[in-house]
Amino acid sequence: MLVRSVPRCFSKLRAPASRPCIRVARPQCRQFSMPTTGAPNASPSPAMSSAAILEPFTTELDRIAPSFKINGSQVRVLQTPAEFYETLKDKIRNAERRIFLSTLYIGKSETELIATLQEALRTKPDVKLSILTDALRGTREAPQPSCASLLAPLIAEFGPDRVEVRMYHTPNLTGFKKKHIPNRINEGWGLQHMKLYGVDDEIILSGANLSSDYFTNRQDRYHLFSSRDITEYYSNLHDAVASLSFLVQPSDKPSGFDMAWPDTNAAISPLENPNHFVAESTSLLARLISPGTAPVTKPDKTIAGATDTSVYILAQLTQLLSPDSSTELPAITHVLKTLSSPQYAKSSWTFTAGYFNPAPSLTKLLLSTASQGNTVITASPFANGFYKSPGVSGLLPDAYTLLARRFVHAVYQHNRETAITLREWRRGTVGVPGGWTYHAKGLWVTLPGSEDPSITLIGSSNYTKRSYSLDLEANALIVTENEELKRRLGNEQRSLQENTSIVTRDDLAKTDRRVGLKVRLAMLMVKLAGGAL
C-alpha cells in the first residue's frame, strides 16, 4: 500500500527519463476566442440570430477560460459504454505518436485493455504512453493485485522512455489523518478525478473510468473531439499534473511496484510539505488554465467547414491552487446566472449527476433560473454504484436519497414544482443480472426558439462541494450554432431519459425511502473530519 511506501517516497530519485516539456505560451501569443462587444443582458428577440442569443453567455466565458473554435462536425457523441470502449481500443490500436490516459483508476483485471496498449506499443515503436491515475485508489488493494501492479509490467517491457505511469496524491491527506483513516474512506479527502483519453490528435472526454463496468453496464457520457488544438491543451494539463505526482516503478516486492518522487518533478512531495507543494503547484497550474497565458498551438488548418462551435476548456484544481483560480465553477455559475434573466424564460435545461449532491451555490442557481421545463436526472438507489456495497460505503445510496429529498423540498419551497422535475435513472438492479449503474454527469441548455441544446458541459466533475474543493476535475463547455451537433446533443439528452421515472416529494416521503440516523451521523462525521461526498 502507499501508506507503507511513504518512507521510500521521501527519498529523492532521479526519473529514468525527463518529462516532456510543458508548453506555456507568452500572453501576446493568445489564439483564443476574444470577448465580443455588446450588453450581456441584452434581451434576445425572436428575430435574433443564434449568435446573438448566445452572446450573453460567450462574452463572459471568454474572460473566464481559454477556448478553441472548431466545426461542430469535430465532436462525436458516443452513447453507450460498449461504444466508448470499442472506440477507445480502436484509437489506441491506430496510434502513431502518443497515448495519454488520465483517469481515477484502471481496473485491476483489465487485461484486454492492457493487451491493446501492448499491441500498439509493440507494432508502433514511435508510440509513447503516459498514464495518470490516483495514488489512493490505484494502490488501495496492495500488496494484492491493484491498478499499480497491473501497469508496472508495461514499464518493465517497454522501458521508462516509452511508458510512464504516474499516481497523484492529494496534499489534504497527510500525517495523522493518512495514518488512521481507512482506505475506502480516505478518498473523501481528494482524488485525481480527471478523465482524459487522448490518442495522437483526438481525445475522449468523459466521466467514465477505465474498468469493466464502465465498458459494459455503467452508463456515462462520452464526447470524442477530433481537434489537434483541444487534444494538445489537455495533453499539457495531463503532463502538468503528472509532474506533480508519484512515479510508478516495477519491483520484485510482493506489491509488484515502487513509488518514487523524482528530482525532476515540478514540486516537493505533498507528503513531505503540503503547503510548499501547493505553492509550487500554483506557480505551474495557474498560468496553464488562465485564458491569458494558457498554452497555444499554431492555427489548425485541418478544420473542414466553418468554425461554428466554441469549446471552453475548464479545470477545477482547487486543492492545487492558492489562491484558487479554477475555471469550472465560475463558468457554470455564469451560465446559470444568465439563465435567470427573464428573456430566457422560454429556455430549458437538463442537469444530471450520478451522485446527486450539487454544491449549495449550484442548487441555488438552478432554482433561480427563469427557464421552464427543466429536468434533473440522478441515479435511483438501485442504480447507484455503492448499492449493497460492504462497509461504510454501503450507506451512500441512502445518503444521496436524503440529498435528493432535500433538493425536491427546496424546489417546493421556491414554488418551482412546475418548472423543475426530478427523474431517477434505473435499468434493472445493481448486482442482479442485467442490472446497470448510472454515472452520467453534465448540463444541457436549450435556448428560446430551439428544440435541441446549444450548450453542454461534459467531463469528470460531479458538481459537488467535493468537486469544487477536493478533487481534480477537467471539463469542456461546448457552445455551438451547428445544427447537426445540436441534434446529437439533443439525442444524447433524450437517450439518458429513456430509463428514468419522475420522483416527487410524496415518493421520497414513503417508508421505503426513509433514511436512518446511522446514515445522517456518517454524513456528519465525514463533514466534521474535512471530507466530502
Side-chain angles (χ1 to χ4, degrees):
M1 295 193 306
L2 186 59
V3 174
R4 297 176 180 173
S5 66
V6 169
R8 294 197 300 273
C9 299
F10 286 161
S11 60
K12 299 273 186 165
L13 300 179
R14 290 208 172 269
S18 60
R19 288 206 49 73
C21 176
I22 298 172
R23 297 163 292 282
V24 179
R26 296 180 178 86
Q28 62 265 30
C29 295
R30 284 176 66 185
Q31 292 183 332
F32 298 104
S33 306
M34 299 299 293
T36 55
T37 59
N41 293 321
S43 176
S45 67
M48 290 180 71
S49 67
S50 175
I53 295 176
L54 289 170
E55 185 179 9
F57 296 94
T58 58
T59 298
E60 182 62 21
L61 288 171
D62 285 330
R63 299 187 181 102
I64 293 173
S67 67
F68 293 98
K69 284 283 192 180
I70 63 172
N71 184 270
S73 62
Q74 293 175 266
V75 183
R76 178 181 166 194
V77 180
L78 310 179
Q79 297 282 10
T80 66
E83 187 181 11
F84 162 59
Y85 188 36
E86 292 306 316
T87 300
L88 178 63
K89 289 190 294 180
D90 179 68
K91 298 300 178 184
I92 291 172
R93 291 191 188 101
N94 290 284
E96 297 290 340
R97 296 180 291 107
R98 65 177 176 184
I99 304 167
F100 64 95
L101 308 173
S102 302
T103 188
L104 175 59
Y105 66 98
I106 297 179
K108 59 188 178 183
S109 60
E110 293 309 310
T111 55
E112 183 182 41
L113 178 61
I114 298 301
T116 304
L117 292 169
Q118 289 174 321
E119 177 187 344
L121 291 164
R122 288 168 182 167
T123 57
K124 303 286 181 62
D126 293 333
V127 170
K128 293 187 177 182
L129 170 65
S130 178
I131 297 176
L132 171 66
T133 72
D134 183 76
L136 297 175
R137 176 63 67 88
T139 63
R140 73 181 182 186
E141 300 94 345
Q144 300 302 315
S146 65
C147 173
S149 63
L150 176 76
L151 298 175
L154 288 172
I155 308 166
E157 178 177 355
F158 300 102
D161 58 329
R162 292 189 66 198
V163 176
E164 177 187 66
V165 178
R166 293 279 185 155
M167 291 196 167
Y168 171 85
H169 192 290
T170 176
N172 297 329
L173 188 70
T174 61
F176 181 84
K177 285 193 294 187
K178 181 174 179 61
K179 182 178 180 180
H180 294 284
I181 294 175
N183 280 358
R184 286 186 66 85
I185 303 298
N186 61 12
E187 296 168 18
W189 277 258
L191 296 168
Q192 192 308 102
H193 200 248
M194 301 187 299
K195 318 296 169 65
L196 307 171
Y197 306 129
V199 178
D200 293 337
D201 292 334
E202 294 184 301
I203 186 167
I204 300 173
L205 264 63
S206 179
N209 295 303
L210 301 180
S211 64
S212 58
D213 51 347
Y214 288 95
F215 301 151
T216 55
N217 60 0
R218 190 161 173 78
Q219 183 64 56
D220 214 298
R221 296 178 67 209
Y222 335 85
H223 286 196
L224 170 62
F225 296 83
S226 299
S227 165
R228 184 190 65 193
D229 287 341
I230 292 172
T231 306
E232 189 68 16
Y233 184 98
Y234 285 115
S235 175
N236 278 303
L237 181 58
H238 169 102
D239 287 345
V241 177
S243 75
L244 300 167
S245 303
F246 286 96
L247 180 71
V248 176
Q249 298 174 326
S251 171
D252 293 331
K253 297 176 181 179
S255 66
F257 66 92
D258 269 329
M259 304 279 281
W261 192 265
D263 285 338
T264 51
N265 273 11
I268 193 172
S269 165
L271 300 181
E272 184 174 342
N273 191 325
N275 292 334
H276 194 185
F277 171 77
V278 172
E280 293 179 312
S281 301
T282 301
S283 178
L284 173 65
L285 294 170
R287 55 183 175 169
L288 183 64
I289 65 175
S290 166
T293 55
V296 299
T297 57
K298 294 179 181 179
D300 189 350
K301 300 184 183 301
T302 63
I303 296 177
T307 53
D308 51 23
T309 301
S310 293
V311 179
Y312 292 89
I313 312 296
L314 305 181
Q316 196 69 32
L317 310 172
T318 302
Q319 63 172 280
L320 293 178
L321 296 169
S322 182
D324 186 9
S325 56
S326 297
T327 54
E328 182 206 315
L329 183 56
I332 190 172
T333 296
H334 168 65
V335 169
L336 294 176
K337 278 187 175 180
T338 303
L339 290 174
S340 68
S341 299
Q343 58 264 34
Y344 291 101
K346 293 185 178 180
S347 67
S348 64
W349 51 258
T350 296
F351 175 83
T352 186
Y355 304 131
F356 187 70
N357 182 22
S361 63
L362 292 190
T363 297
K364 183 177 180 180
L365 289 166
L366 290 170
L367 295 172
S368 299
T369 60
S371 310
Q372 301 294 319
N374 309 305
T375 302
V376 171
I377 307 173
T378 190
S380 158
F382 301 99
N384 188 296
F386 295 100
Y387 180 71
K388 290 191 175 180
S389 178
V392 177
S393 59
L395 301 176
L396 288 172
D398 280 349
Y400 290 116
T401 292
L402 177 61
L403 294 166
R405 180 190 298 170
R406 290 174 179 172
F407 177 80
V408 171
H409 184 64
V411 170
Y412 169 77
Q413 287 184 314
H414 285 75
N415 196 29
R416 298 283 286 160
E417 287 182 297
T418 60
I420 301 175
T421 300
L422 178 70
R423 305 184 75 97
E424 285 187 344
W425 191 98
R426 181 180 181 183
R427 185 171 174 179
T429 300
V430 178
V432 176
W436 284 46
T437 55
Y438 186 76
H439 196 249
K441 61 267 286 189
L443 174 72
W444 298 259
V445 177
T446 300
L447 297 176
S450 297
E451 294 183 0
D452 292 309
S454 298
I455 300 173
T456 194
L457 185 60
I458 175 76
S460 63
S461 180
N462 286 310
Y463 314 116
T464 63
K465 179 181 177 182
R466 170 174 167 169
S467 298
Y468 297 132
S469 59
L470 298 173
D471 291 345
L472 304 186
E473 310 284 8
N475 304 275
L477 182 66
I478 301 171
V479 181
T480 186
E481 299 176 60
N482 185 288
E483 292 299 327
E484 280 300 307
L485 177 55
K486 289 165 65 175
R487 181 184 59 79
R488 292 195 293 275
L489 295 176
N491 288 340
E492 177 190 42
Q493 175 184 279
R494 288 184 285 271
S495 176
L496 288 176
Q497 293 197 40
E498 288 179 0
N499 293 295
T500 67
S501 57
I502 295 175
V503 178
T504 66
R505 290 175 68 231
D506 290 340
D507 294 326
L508 293 171
K510 292 178 180 177
T511 302
D512 62 345
R513 302 302 296 270
R514 290 179 182 173
V515 177
L517 181 60
K518 184 178 180 181
V519 173
R520 297 171 188 265
L521 289 175
M523 294 170 67
L524 178 61
M525 289 175 64
V526 170
K527 180 179 180 180
L528 292 175
L533 296 180

